[in-house]
Amino acid sequence: MPDATPTTAISRATPTESPASAGDASLLFRPFEAGALKLPNRIVMAPMTRNFSPGGVPGQDVATYYARRAAGGTGLIITEGTYVGHASAGEHGDVPLFHGEAPLAGWRKVVEDVHAAGGRIVPQLWHVGTVRKAGQPPVAEAPSVGPSGLTPKGIPTGDERSTLDLAGIDAVIGAFAAAAADAERIGFDGVELHGAHGYLIDQFLWSKTNRRTDEYGGDPVARTRFAADVVKAVREAVSPSLPVILRMSQWKIDNYDARLAATPQELERILVPLAEAGVDVFHASTRRYWLPEFEGSDLNLAGWVKKITGRPVITVGSVGLDSGFVSTYLSGKTPSPTGITPLLERLTREEFDLVAIGRSLLGDPEWPTKTRDGRAEDIMPFSLEATATLT
């Protein structure tokens, strides 16, 4: 979950609707397939960093946490971000690793418990790039690395090691591919690559942090090369039927107004090479799903991604709630639940295919079942207390 204060706020406008007004919720409970991944419904648990894996090893409490959401009716679980096997990938000692014997054994148990509860699960594979600060775990001596040695604010890190050379790029790509292969080996149902919010893959995509003049920098198409190479390497490392999901966004963790693309045409130049590289499903991260992405159209970002690529798309952003996480955190005020009729209207139009739920699933693991059964009034609301424990 984002943990930074925005540089500027976006509209707080929210659909006006009673929580009990759910529309035709059966739309959420149609089956979905992507390659070998077969889901009973369209509800996805959004990836949310929880910091409950001491030493990077997920324990039984993590397995139980995810299994509860599967048992509550969530069709697909995307895990919290997990650090790939590169020394500079992470910035916190309690975020889970996705390499090494003990972390992978922990993840195997997570998969077993989720499957036993009737769910499907993919790991989110993550490299934070120059978001990392010097001296942070899990490898304190590792440098912060990115395409041009710039932080997401566009400021030089001051460490000459921060600009990845071609060998360094190859090493990072190899780490993603190895993690994906391990994910399939221990039973995961697919993989998601974290290419959003100003982290490493996104830093290559964004002109503010990618100032390279070689084959990995330049125009929007050239800036996609790193992401596309990661996708290709992951695609080659796993079975052809194992789905590869890419999470992408316009906004960054400390800049909600940031834009990869100012127009649909610019977005197309970024997305087409990624689809051609082998992305099976896109996960279009927005903070409020009901906001249009470009002037002149009601389509949100997910809608545009689907229109451009023709690939299945996951939408996300304050589903069932009236405010974003950061505003909730800063104000300390519990967000009010809302209905999901506007979401269902967009599903009816096939604007997107899957819907990721974050905080609402922290508040109530049975959100899907209660929504399906028309028991919206029984849904336990999200509160900040839900982020303090792993339940």
Side-chain angles (χ1 to χ4, degrees):
M1 287 181 286
D3 58 3
T5 304
T7 54
T8 54
I10 63 174
S11 170
R12 301 287 188 219
T14 179
T16 303
E17 184 188 7
S18 162
S21 176
D24 184 8
S26 65
L27 289 168
L28 283 168
F29 295 91
R30 296 168 296 156
F32 173 83
E33 294 186 12
L37 179 66
K38 295 178 172 57
L39 305 178
N41 60 51
R42 305 302 180 97
I43 298 173
V44 178
M45 181 177 182
M48 292 175 283
T49 303
R50 299 308 313 276
N51 298 343
F52 284 104
S53 295
V57 179
Q60 183 58 51
D61 55 344
V62 176
T64 300
Y65 160 76
Y66 285 121
R68 285 189 68 197
R69 275 73 195 171
T74 301
L76 175 65
I77 290 167
I78 302 176
T79 73
E80 62 209 283
T82 67
Y83 298 147
V84 298
H86 185 266
S88 301
E91 58 174 344
H92 199 291
D94 293 331
V95 168
L97 304 174
F98 209 85
H99 60 94
E101 184 176 349
L104 291 177
W107 282 120
R108 185 189 293 274
K109 185 63 167 62
V110 172
V111 172
E112 291 172 353
D113 286 10
V114 167
H115 285 172
R120 296 292 178 264
I121 184 169
V122 303
Q124 186 186 72
L125 306 179
W126 189 21
H127 193 302
V128 303
T130 54
V131 170
R132 171 185 171 83
K133 295 180 176 59
Q136 290 182 310
V139 184
E141 63 273 21
S144 169
V145 297
S148 303
L150 302 172
T151 72
K153 292 182 181 293
I155 300 170
T157 65
D159 186 337
E160 62 181 14
R161 300 174 298 169
S162 288
T163 300
L164 284 164
D165 59 17
L166 295 181
I169 286 174
D170 288 344
V172 174
I173 292 171
F176 275 100
D182 282 334
E184 182 173 29
R185 177 176 59 82
I186 63 179
F188 278 94
D189 301 293
V191 296
E192 175 169 285
L193 309 175
H194 196 338
H197 305 165
Y199 297 112
L200 182 64
I201 292 175
D202 196 26
Q203 288 168 15
F204 272 88
L205 294 174
W206 194 27
S207 60
K208 185 171 182 176
T209 45
N210 185 346
R211 308 286 179 80
R212 299 177 74 97
T213 57
D214 64 3
E215 60 265 44
Y216 286 99
D219 65 20
V221 174
R223 294 198 304 271
T224 68
R225 177 167 178 172
F226 176 75
D229 283 357
V230 171
V231 172
K232 290 175 185 176
V234 166
R235 183 76 275 161
E236 292 172 0
V238 300
S239 299
S241 62
L242 193 85
V244 175
I245 305 168
L246 177 69
R247 195 175 213 210
M248 51 81 63
S249 71
Q250 299 258 44
W251 66 274
K252 317 305 174 193
I253 55 173
D254 61 352
N255 185 349
Y256 293 157
D257 287 339
R259 312 279 282 178
L260 286 180
T263 66
Q265 292 74 26
E266 289 182 10
L267 185 63
E268 182 175 10
R269 298 188 72 192
I270 294 167
L271 292 175
V272 169
L274 300 177
E276 291 176 345
V279 175
D280 297 296
V281 179
F282 284 92
H283 187 175
S285 178
T286 56
R287 299 180 57 243
R288 293 170 177 82
Y289 75 85
W290 57 86
L291 296 180
E293 190 59 36
F294 300 112
E295 290 185 7
S297 170
D298 187 48
L299 289 178
N300 70 4
L301 180 62
W304 276 108
V305 173
K306 183 172 183 179
K307 180 176 182 178
I308 289 169
T309 67
R311 301 294 165 88
V313 180
I314 305 168
T315 197
V316 68
S318 301
V319 174
L321 299 173
D322 70 348
S323 62
F325 174 76
V326 172
S327 58
T328 299
Y329 182 82
L330 293 176
S331 69
K333 181 182 177 182
T334 297
S336 299
T338 68
I340 57 172
T341 295
L343 178 80
L344 298 174
E345 290 171 350
R346 290 173 183 267
L347 266 178
T348 300
R349 300 195 299 264
E350 299 185 342
E351 187 170 327
F352 38 74
D353 303 273
L354 299 155
V355 177
I357 314 291
R359 291 167 293 150
S360 292
L361 274 173
L362 291 188
D364 194 336
E366 295 183 354
W367 189 95
T369 298
K370 292 176 180 178
T371 298
R372 181 197 64 198
D373 296 344
R375 296 189 291 126
E377 68 279 1
D378 294 335
I379 292 175
M380 295 184 291
F382 166 79
S383 67
L384 285 173
E385 286 73 21
T387 65
T389 58
L390 199 66
T391 59

PDB file of all heavy atoms in Angstrom, residues 296-326:
ATOM      1  N   GLY A 296     -12.703  13.464 -22.895  1.00  0.00           N
ATOM      2  CA  GLY A 296     -13.490  13.056 -24.050  1.00  0.00           C
ATOM      3  C   GLY A 296     -13.991  11.636 -24.000  1.00  0.00           C
ATOM      4  O   GLY A 296     -14.619  11.166 -24.959  1.00  0.00           O
ATOM      5  N   SER A 297     -13.701  10.912 -22.905  1.00  0.00           N
ATOM      6  CA  SER A 297     -14.151   9.529 -22.776  1.00  0.00           C
ATOM      7  C   SER A 297     -14.369   9.212 -21.308  1.00  0.00           C
ATOM      8  O   SER A 297     -13.642   9.701 -20.433  1.00  0.00           O
ATOM      9  CB  SER A 297     -13.109   8.561 -23.353  1.00  0.00           C
ATOM     10  OG  SER A 297     -13.424   7.218 -23.027  1.00  0.00           O
ATOM     11  N   ASP A 298     -15.352   8.347 -21.025  1.00  0.00           N
ATOM     12  CA  ASP A 298     -15.614   7.910 -19.665  1.00  0.00           C
ATOM     13  C   ASP A 298     -14.745   6.727 -19.260  1.00  0.00           C
ATOM     14  O   ASP A 298     -14.757   6.308 -18.109  1.00  0.00           O
ATOM     15  CB  ASP A 298     -17.103   7.539 -19.526  1.00  0.00           C
ATOM     16  CG  ASP A 298     -17.505   7.241 -18.088  1.00  0.00           C
ATOM     17  OD1 ASP A 298     -17.161   8.052 -17.206  1.00  0.00           O
ATOM     18  OD2 ASP A 298     -18.123   6.188 -17.848  1.00  0.00           O
ATOM     19  N   LEU A 299     -13.967   6.179 -20.184  1.00  0.00           N
ATOM     20  CA  LEU A 299     -13.148   4.996 -19.881  1.00  0.00           C
ATOM     21  C   LEU A 299     -12.134   5.307 -18.788  1.00  0.00           C
ATOM     22  O   LEU A 299     -11.468   6.347 -18.814  1.00  0.00           O
ATOM     23  CB  LEU A 299     -12.396   4.532 -21.123  1.00  0.00           C
ATOM     24  CG  LEU A 299     -13.194   3.872 -22.253  1.00  0.00           C
ATOM     25  CD1 LEU A 299     -12.261   3.548 -23.408  1.00  0.00           C
ATOM     26  CD2 LEU A 299     -13.884   2.609 -21.763  1.00  0.00           C
ATOM     27  N   ASN A 300     -12.012   4.387 -17.826  1.00  0.00           N
ATOM     28  CA  ASN A 300     -10.922   4.522 -16.869  1.00  0.00           C
ATOM     29  C   ASN A 300      -9.651   3.932 -17.484  1.00  0.00           C
ATOM     30  O   ASN A 300      -9.651   3.505 -18.652  1.00  0.00           O
ATOM     31  CB  ASN A 300     -11.291   3.893 -15.522  1.00  0.00           C
ATOM     32  CG  ASN A 300     -11.369   2.373 -15.546  1.00  0.00           C
ATOM     33  OD1 ASN A 300     -11.080   1.723 -16.560  1.00  0.00           O
ATOM     34  ND2 ASN A 300     -11.761   1.786 -14.429  1.00  0.00           N
ATOM     35  N   LEU A 301      -8.566   3.896 -16.722  1.00  0.00           N
ATOM     36  CA  LEU A 301      -7.306   3.418 -17.283  1.00  0.00           C
ATOM     37  C   LEU A 301      -7.425   1.977 -17.754  1.00  0.00           C
ATOM     38  O   LEU A 301      -6.941   1.618 -18.836  1.00  0.00           O
ATOM     39  CB  LEU A 301      -6.183   3.553 -16.255  1.00  0.00           C
ATOM     40  CG  LEU A 301      -4.796   3.090 -16.723  1.00  0.00           C
ATOM     41  CD1 LEU A 301      -4.310   3.911 -17.909  1.00  0.00           C
ATOM     42  CD2 LEU A 301      -3.789   3.176 -15.571  1.00  0.00           C
ATOM     43  N   ALA A 302      -8.078   1.137 -16.957  1.00  0.00           N
ATOM     44  CA  ALA A 302      -8.242  -0.262 -17.359  1.00  0.00           C
ATOM     45  C   ALA A 302      -8.997  -0.360 -18.678  1.00  0.00           C
ATOM     46  O   ALA A 302      -8.668  -1.189 -19.540  1.00  0.00           O
ATOM     47  CB  ALA A 302      -8.971  -1.033 -16.256  1.00  0.00           C
ATOM     48  N   GLY A 303     -10.020   0.475 -18.827  1.00  0.00           N
ATOM     49  CA  GLY A 303     -10.785   0.460 -20.059  1.00  0.00           C
ATOM     50  C   GLY A 303      -9.946   0.806 -21.268  1.00  0.00           C
ATOM     51  O   GLY A 303     -10.065   0.190 -22.341  1.00  0.00           O
ATOM     52  N   TRP A 304      -9.074   1.795 -21.123  1.00  0.00           N
ATOM     53  CA  TRP A 304      -8.193   2.165 -22.225  1.00  0.00           C
ATOM     54  C   TRP A 304      -7.181   1.060 -22.525  1.00  0.00           C
ATOM     55  O   TRP A 304      -6.872   0.771 -23.690  1.00  0.00           O
ATOM     56  CB  TRP A 304      -7.469   3.471 -21.914  1.00  0.00           C
ATOM     57  CG  TRP A 304      -8.293   4.674 -22.242  1.00  0.00           C
ATOM     58  CD1 TRP A 304      -8.902   5.530 -21.372  1.00  0.00           C
ATOM     59  CD2 TRP A 304      -8.622   5.142 -23.554  1.00  0.00           C
ATOM     60  NE1 TRP A 304      -9.590   6.500 -22.049  1.00  0.00           N
ATOM     61  CE2 TRP A 304      -9.441   6.299 -23.390  1.00  0.00           C
ATOM     62  CE3 TRP A 304      -8.314   4.711 -24.847  1.00  0.00           C
ATOM     63  CZ2 TRP A 304      -9.936   7.013 -24.478  1.00  0.00           C
ATOM     64  CZ3 TRP A 304      -8.811   5.419 -25.931  1.00  0.00           C
ATOM     65  CH2 TRP A 304      -9.612   6.561 -25.737  1.00  0.00           C
ATOM     66  N   VAL A 305      -6.650   0.442 -21.470  1.00  0.00           N
ATOM     67  CA  VAL A 305      -5.672  -0.634 -21.680  1.00  0.00           C
ATOM     68  C   VAL A 305      -6.311  -1.778 -22.463  1.00  0.00           C
ATOM     69  O   VAL A 305      -5.717  -2.336 -23.397  1.00  0.00           O
ATOM     70  CB  VAL A 305      -5.119  -1.123 -20.334  1.00  0.00           C
ATOM     71  CG1 VAL A 305      -4.241  -2.364 -20.537  1.00  0.00           C
ATOM     72  CG2 VAL A 305      -4.307  -0.026 -19.656  1.00  0.00           C
ATOM     73  N   LYS A 306      -7.540  -2.132 -22.097  1.00  0.00           N
ATOM     74  CA  LYS A 306      -8.218  -3.218 -22.818  1.00  0.00           C
ATOM     75  C   LYS A 306      -8.519  -2.817 -24.255  1.00  0.00           C
ATOM     76  O   LYS A 306      -8.347  -3.611 -25.186  1.00  0.00           O
ATOM     77  CB  LYS A 306      -9.497  -3.609 -22.094  1.00  0.00           C
ATOM     78  CG  LYS A 306     -10.207  -4.786 -22.756  1.00  0.00           C
ATOM     79  CD  LYS A 306     -11.372  -5.307 -21.952  1.00  0.00           C
ATOM     80  CE  LYS A 306     -11.984  -6.519 -22.649  1.00  0.00           C
ATOM     81  NZ  LYS A 306     -13.109  -7.091 -21.897  1.00  0.00           N
ATOM     82  N   LYS A 307      -8.972  -1.575 -24.451  1.00  0.00           N
ATOM     83  CA  LYS A 307      -9.297  -1.109 -25.793  1.00  0.00           C
ATOM     84  C   LYS A 307      -8.065  -1.133 -26.691  1.00  0.00           C
ATOM     85  O   LYS A 307      -8.145  -1.509 -27.870  1.00  0.00           O
ATOM     86  CB  LYS A 307      -9.872   0.305 -25.718  1.00  0.00           C
ATOM     87  CG  LYS A 307     -10.257   0.887 -27.074  1.00  0.00           C
ATOM     88  CD  LYS A 307     -10.912   2.254 -26.913  1.00  0.00           C
ATOM     89  CE  LYS A 307     -11.334   2.820 -28.261  1.00  0.00           C
ATOM     90  NZ  LYS A 307     -12.021   4.131 -28.120  1.00  0.00           N
ATOM     91  N   ILE A 308      -6.914  -0.759 -26.146  1.00  0.00           N
ATOM     92  CA  ILE A 308      -5.689  -0.669 -26.939  1.00  0.00           C
ATOM     93  C   ILE A 308      -5.094  -2.036 -27.218  1.00  0.00           C
ATOM     94  O   ILE A 308      -4.662  -2.333 -28.330  1.00  0.00           O
ATOM     95  CB  ILE A 308      -4.659   0.231 -26.227  1.00  0.00           C
ATOM     96  CG1 ILE A 308      -5.119   1.700 -26.284  1.00  0.00           C
ATOM     97  CG2 ILE A 308      -3.272   0.082 -26.847  1.00  0.00           C
ATOM     98  CD1 ILE A 308      -4.327   2.626 -25.393  1.00  0.00           C
ATOM     99  N   THR A 309      -5.049  -2.901 -26.192  1.00  0.00           N
ATOM    100  CA  THR A 309      -4.320  -4.171 -26.318  1.00  0.00           C
ATOM    101  C   THR A 309      -5.208  -5.356 -26.666  1.00  0.00           C
ATOM    102  O   THR A 309      -4.717  -6.361 -27.204  1.00  0.00           O
ATOM    103  CB  THR A 309      -3.588  -4.513 -25.010  1.00  0.00           C
ATOM    104  OG1 THR A 309      -4.556  -4.800 -23.982  1.00  0.00           O
ATOM    105  CG2 THR A 309      -2.686  -3.372 -24.577  1.00  0.00           C
ATOM    106  N   GLY A 310      -6.487  -5.284 -26.312  1.00  0.00           N
ATOM    107  CA  GLY A 310      -7.362  -6.436 -26.479  1.00  0.00           C
ATOM    108  C   GLY A 310      -7.126  -7.528 -25.455  1.00  0.00           C
ATOM    109  O   GLY A 310      -7.784  -8.577 -25.497  1.00  0.00           O
ATOM    110  N   ARG A 311      -6.219  -7.309 -24.509  1.00  0.00           N
ATOM    111  CA  ARG A 311      -5.925  -8.312 -23.486  1.00  0.00           C
ATOM    112  C   ARG A 311      -6.864  -8.132 -22.289  1.00  0.00           C
ATOM    113  O   ARG A 311      -7.369  -7.029 -22.038  1.00  0.00           O
ATOM    114  CB  ARG A 311      -4.474  -8.180 -23.008  1.00  0.00           C
ATOM    115  CG  ARG A 311      -3.446  -8.345 -24.101  1.00  0.00           C
ATOM    116  CD  ARG A 311      -3.448  -9.768 -24.673  1.00  0.00           C
ATOM    117  NE  ARG A 311      -2.735  -9.850 -25.937  1.00  0.00           N
ATOM    118  CZ  ARG A 311      -1.423 -10.076 -26.051  1.00  0.00           C
ATOM    119  NH1 ARG A 311      -0.684 -10.222 -24.962  1.00  0.00           N
ATOM    120  NH2 ARG A 311      -0.867 -10.146 -27.243  1.00  0.00           N
ATOM    121  N   PRO A 312      -7.086  -9.184 -21.518  1.00  0.00           N
ATOM    122  CA  PRO A 312      -7.855  -9.041 -20.286  1.00  0.00           C
ATOM    123  C   PRO A 312      -7.186  -8.052 -19.348  1.00  0.00           C
ATOM    124  O   PRO A 312      -5.955  -7.955 -19.304  1.00  0.00           O
ATOM    125  CB  PRO A 312      -7.849 -10.454 -19.693  1.00  0.00           C
ATOM    126  CG  PRO A 312      -7.560 -11.355 -20.841  1.00  0.00           C
ATOM    127  CD  PRO A 312      -6.664 -10.581 -21.752  1.00  0.00           C
ATOM    128  N   VAL A 313      -8.002  -7.320 -18.584  1.00  0.00           N
ATOM    129  CA  VAL A 313      -7.489  -6.266 -17.722  1.00  0.00           C
ATOM    130  C   VAL A 313      -8.168  -6.331 -16.357  1.00  0.00           C
ATOM    131  O   VAL A 313      -9.369  -6.586 -16.255  1.00  0.00           O
ATOM    132  CB  VAL A 313      -7.705  -4.870 -18.341  1.00  0.00           C
ATOM    133  CG1 VAL A 313      -7.154  -3.783 -17.430  1.00  0.00           C
ATOM    134  CG2 VAL A 313      -7.025  -4.775 -19.702  1.00  0.00           C
ATOM    135  N   ILE A 314      -7.385  -6.085 -15.318  1.00  0.00           N
ATOM    136  CA  ILE A 314      -7.873  -5.938 -13.951  1.00  0.00           C
ATOM    137  C   ILE A 314      -7.988  -4.456 -13.641  1.00  0.00           C
ATOM    138  O   ILE A 314      -7.039  -3.693 -13.888  1.00  0.00           O
ATOM    139  CB  ILE A 314      -6.903  -6.580 -12.942  1.00  0.00           C
ATOM    140  CG1 ILE A 314      -6.629  -8.048 -13.292  1.00  0.00           C
ATOM    141  CG2 ILE A 314      -7.447  -6.469 -11.514  1.00  0.00           C
ATOM    142  CD1 ILE A 314      -5.466  -8.649 -12.507  1.00  0.00           C
ATOM    143  N   THR A 315      -9.123  -4.025 -13.104  1.00  0.00           N
ATOM    144  CA  THR A 315      -9.248  -2.663 -12.610  1.00  0.00           C
ATOM    145  C   THR A 315      -9.110  -2.675 -11.091  1.00  0.00           C
ATOM    146  O   THR A 315      -9.322  -3.698 -10.444  1.00  0.00           O
ATOM    147  CB  THR A 315     -10.588  -2.030 -13.020  1.00  0.00           C
ATOM    148  OG1 THR A 315     -10.503  -0.611 -12.861  1.00  0.00           O
ATOM    149  CG2 THR A 315     -11.755  -2.545 -12.184  1.00  0.00           C
ATOM    150  N   VAL A 316      -8.777  -1.520 -10.518  1.00  0.00           N
ATOM    151  CA  VAL A 316      -8.606  -1.417  -9.073  1.00  0.00           C
ATOM    152  C   VAL A 316      -8.713   0.050  -8.685  1.00  0.00           C
ATOM    153  O   VAL A 316      -8.463   0.928  -9.503  1.00  0.00           O
ATOM    154  CB  VAL A 316      -7.236  -1.995  -8.627  1.00  0.00           C
ATOM    155  CG1 VAL A 316      -6.082  -1.132  -9.127  1.00  0.00           C
ATOM    156  CG2 VAL A 316      -7.155  -2.172  -7.115  1.00  0.00           C
ATOM    157  N   GLY A 317      -9.099   0.312  -7.439  1.00  0.00           N
ATOM    158  CA  GLY A 317      -9.101   1.680  -6.945  1.00  0.00           C
ATOM    159  C   GLY A 317     -10.300   2.038  -6.109  1.00  0.00           C
ATOM    160  O   GLY A 317     -11.335   2.428  -6.615  1.00  0.00           O
ATOM    161  N   SER A 318     -10.200   1.846  -4.802  1.00  0.00           N
ATOM    162  CA  SER A 318     -11.227   2.257  -3.846  1.00  0.00           C
ATOM    163  C   SER A 318     -12.584   1.607  -4.118  1.00  0.00           C
ATOM    164  O   SER A 318     -13.629   2.228  -3.914  1.00  0.00           O
ATOM    165  CB  SER A 318     -11.373   3.788  -3.827  1.00  0.00           C
ATOM    166  OG  SER A 318     -10.157   4.415  -3.478  1.00  0.00           O
ATOM    167  N   VAL A 319     -12.573   0.353  -4.555  1.00  0.00           N
ATOM    168  CA  VAL A 319     -13.837  -0.350  -4.783  1.00  0.00           C
ATOM    169  C   VAL A 319     -14.565  -0.528  -3.453  1.00  0.00           C
ATOM    170  O   VAL A 319     -14.016  -1.067  -2.493  1.00  0.00           O
ATOM    171  CB  VAL A 319     -13.597  -1.717  -5.441  1.00  0.00           C
ATOM    172  CG1 VAL A 319     -14.923  -2.500  -5.540  1.00  0.00           C
ATOM    173  CG2 VAL A 319     -12.971  -1.542  -6.818  1.00  0.00           C
ATOM    174  N   GLY A 320     -15.804  -0.030  -3.401  1.00  0.00           N
ATOM    175  CA  GLY A 320     -16.612  -0.173  -2.202  1.00  0.00           C
ATOM    176  C   GLY A 320     -16.324   0.834  -1.115  1.00  0.00           C
ATOM    177  O   GLY A 320     -16.925   0.785  -0.044  1.00  0.00           O
ATOM    178  N   LEU A 321     -15.420   1.798  -1.372  1.00  0.00           N
ATOM    179  CA  LEU A 321     -15.052   2.799  -0.373  1.00  0.00           C
ATOM    180  C   LEU A 321     -15.063   4.186  -1.010  1.00  0.00           C
ATOM    181  O   LEU A 321     -14.976   4.320  -2.234  1.00  0.00           O
ATOM    182  CB  LEU A 321     -13.665   2.502   0.210  1.00  0.00           C
ATOM    183  CG  LEU A 321     -13.512   1.166   0.940  1.00  0.00           C
ATOM    184  CD1 LEU A 321     -12.051   0.942   1.312  1.00  0.00           C
ATOM    185  CD2 LEU A 321     -14.386   1.112   2.180  1.00  0.00           C
ATOM    186  N   ASP A 322     -15.115   5.213  -0.158  1.00  0.00           N
ATOM    187  CA  ASP A 322     -15.239   6.569  -0.700  1.00  0.00           C
ATOM    188  C   ASP A 322     -13.969   7.394  -0.619  1.00  0.00           C
ATOM    189  O   ASP A 322     -13.987   8.586  -0.915  1.00  0.00           O
ATOM    190  CB  ASP A 322     -16.381   7.316   0.002  1.00  0.00           C
ATOM    191  CG  ASP A 322     -16.066   7.650   1.464  1.00  0.00           C
ATOM    192  OD1 ASP A 322     -15.070   7.120   2.001  1.00  0.00           O
ATOM    193  OD2 ASP A 322     -16.817   8.435   2.059  1.00  0.00           O
ATOM    194  N   SER A 323     -12.839   6.792  -0.213  1.00  0.00           N
ATOM    195  CA  SER A 323     -11.596   7.558  -0.135  1.00  0.00           C
ATOM    196  C   SER A 323     -10.405   6.630  -0.291  1.00  0.00           C
ATOM    197  O   SER A 323     -10.503   5.422  -0.054  1.00  0.00           O
ATOM    198  CB  SER A 323     -11.492   8.318   1.197  1.00  0.00           C
ATOM    199  OG  SER A 323     -11.474   7.420   2.292  1.00  0.00           O
ATOM    200  N   GLY A 324      -9.265   7.220  -0.698  1.00  0.00           N
ATOM    201  CA  GLY A 324      -8.053   6.451  -0.891  1.00  0.00           C
ATOM    202  C   GLY A 324      -7.338   6.137   0.412  1.00  0.00           C
ATOM    203  O   GLY A 324      -7.628   6.708   1.462  1.00  0.00           O
ATOM    204  N   PHE A 325      -6.353   5.225   0.331  1.00  0.00           N
ATOM    205  CA  PHE A 325      -5.666   4.773   1.543  1.00  0.00           C
ATOM    206  C   PHE A 325      -4.901   5.897   2.215  1.00  0.00           C
ATOM    207  O   PHE A 325      -4.965   6.072   3.434  1.00  0.00           O
ATOM    208  CB  PHE A 325      -4.701   3.629   1.207  1.00  0.00           C
ATOM    209  CG  PHE A 325      -3.864   3.225   2.395  1.00  0.00           C
ATOM    210  CD1 PHE A 325      -4.410   2.473   3.411  1.00  0.00           C
ATOM    211  CD2 PHE A 325      -2.539   3.625   2.510  1.00  0.00           C
ATOM    212  CE1 PHE A 325      -3.656   2.102   4.513  1.00  0.00           C
ATOM    213  CE2 PHE A 325      -1.776   3.279   3.606  1.00  0.00           C
ATOM    214  CZ  PHE A 325      -2.336   2.504   4.614  1.00  0.00           C
ATOM    215  N   VAL A 326      -4.159   6.676   1.445  1.00  0.00           N
ATOM    216  CA  VAL A 326      -3.313   7.699   2.056  1.00  0.00           C
ATOM    217  C   VAL A 326      -4.153   8.749   2.762  1.00  0.00           C
ATOM    218  O   VAL A 326      -3.834   9.169   3.882  1.00  0.00           O
ATOM    219  CB  VAL A 326      -2.387   8.339   1.004  1.00  0.00           C
ATOM    220  CG1 VAL A 326      -1.649   9.528   1.583  1.00  0.00           C
ATOM    221  CG2 VAL A 326      -1.384   7.308   0.496  1.00  0.00           C
TER     222      VAL A 326
END
